[in-house]
Amino acid sequence: GENVEQHPSTLSVQEGDSAVIKCTYSDSASNYFPWYKQELGKGPQLIIDIRSNVGEKKDQRIAVTLNKTAKHFSLHITETQPEDSAVYFCAARGLGSTLGRLYFGRGTQLTVWP
Amino acid sequence: GAVVSQHPSRVICKSGTSVKIECRSLDFQATTMFWYRQFPKKSLMLMATSNEGSKATYEQGVEKDKFLINHASLTLSTLTVTSAHPEDSSFYICSARDRGQGWVSTDTQYFGPGTRLTVL
């Protein structure tokens, strides 16, 4: 099955700085890569996703890039705010996953200091 | 985005009792729902995949007789923890697959808010 690695496991930034979280995947057939934000005691919330037919996608302060050749994708958060503090999970889904199963990274605890 | 609800949000029960958790997709039909378990400061561990009208598919190491899953309709899946024990205490989260409509494939997975189970 797919193997997703996520780095770093913890990330601390000052308010206003940028944050970057990186993930790699093993299955070259994977074609869908979502990012989820999970606040303490809550379920994960989809914040952005990208499909394999595009290399970059942006939504206000959040952007995701995909490098299919290198099999890695990254989440970029600009102008970070304290409310961005949460655990972020990347995931990948392959063409062979007919039921839509996602494979998750281990998560990154982002802390934004005011 | 689409909304998935879970009920109850918290449950405390005595050892040996059974607990049912409901997962509903509120504004879309979900032929596939997923059940996860999450330990503190850990990633999401897939327990089983639930398909409407058919038996659930369990991940290796997950006891199907202990964690009963029923996906009775396109908007509802239930997880029943039977004869719960303290080691079953955890955060259980469901997700629902929204395959979208028309020729544009959105095929996105949305999560519920989770259920905190505490077994005394």
Side-chain angles (χ1 to χ4, degrees):
Chain A
E2 172 70 279
N3 182 43
V4 178
E5 299 282 344
Q6 183 172 346
H7 297 281
S9 57
T10 60
L11 179 60
S12 293
V13 299
Q14 204 72 35
E15 182 178 2
D17 288 348
S18 295
V20 180
I21 302 171
K22 298 181 179 182
C23 289
T24 60
Y25 59 99
S26 60
D27 187 353
S28 57
S30 289
N31 64 348
Y32 174 64
F33 308 92
W35 286 88
Y36 292 88
K37 174 184 179 182
Q38 186 178 27
E39 297 177 344
L40 192 62
K42 298 183 179 180
Q45 177 189 7
L46 178 69
I47 57 172
I48 196 167
D49 57 12
I50 191 167
R51 299 179 195 274
S52 59
N53 57 344
V54 298
E56 183 174 359
K57 184 177 178 181
K58 190 173 182 180
D59 182 5
Q60 299 182 343
R61 296 187 297 107
I62 294 173
V64 57
T65 59
L66 171 65
N67 183 325
K68 288 190 295 181
T69 303
K71 291 189 285 188
H72 69 69
F73 56 112
S74 301
L75 177 70
H76 304 253
I77 306 174
T78 59
E79 301 173 26
T80 54
Q81 302 165 3
E83 49 265 40
D84 293 329
S85 297
V87 178
Y88 291 80
F89 291 100
C90 64
R93 184 180 69 211
L95 282 173
S97 179
T98 55
L99 297 176
R101 176 188 175 165
L102 294 174
Y103 292 84
F104 287 88
R106 293 192 174 190
T108 296
Q109 173 68 62
L110 173 64
T111 302
V112 181
W113 299 101
Chain B
V3 179
V4 176
S5 71
Q6 243 180 281
H7 179 80
S9 57
R10 289 177 178 272
V11 58
I12 301 173
C13 69
K14 292 182 179 180
S15 185
T17 60
S18 293
V19 175
K20 179 185 283 189
I21 303 170
E22 291 186 349
C23 178
R24 294 181 185 272
S25 56
L26 298 186
D27 49 4
F28 66 96
Q29 293 183 332
T31 54
T32 306
M33 290 184 174
F34 303 86
W35 287 95
Y36 296 84
R37 184 173 178 175
Q38 188 176 36
F39 293 100
K41 298 189 177 182
K42 296 294 184 183
S43 189
L44 302 156
M45 184 185 79
L46 180 66
M47 299 174 64
T49 301
S50 166
N51 281 301
E52 186 266 338
S54 63
K55 290 183 178 180
T57 303
Y58 290 82
E59 295 299 302
Q60 191 172 12
V62 178
E63 299 176 59
K64 60 181 180 181
D65 294 331
K66 180 167 188 62
F67 298 99
L68 300 178
I69 291 172
N70 183 20
H71 194 153
S73 76
L74 288 174
T75 59
L76 172 65
S77 177
T78 60
L79 168 67
T80 301
V81 183
T82 62
S83 186
H85 291 284
E87 57 266 30
D88 298 323
S89 298
S90 193
F91 192 52
Y92 292 88
I93 315 173
C94 72
S95 70
R97 184 183 184 191
D98 181 3
R99 303 200 66 168
Q101 295 180 357
W103 64 276
V104 177
S105 172
T106 55
D107 202 354
T108 307
Q109 206 172 122
Y110 297 96
F111 283 84
T115 297
R116 172 73 57 192
L117 170 63
T118 303
V119 185
L120 302 176

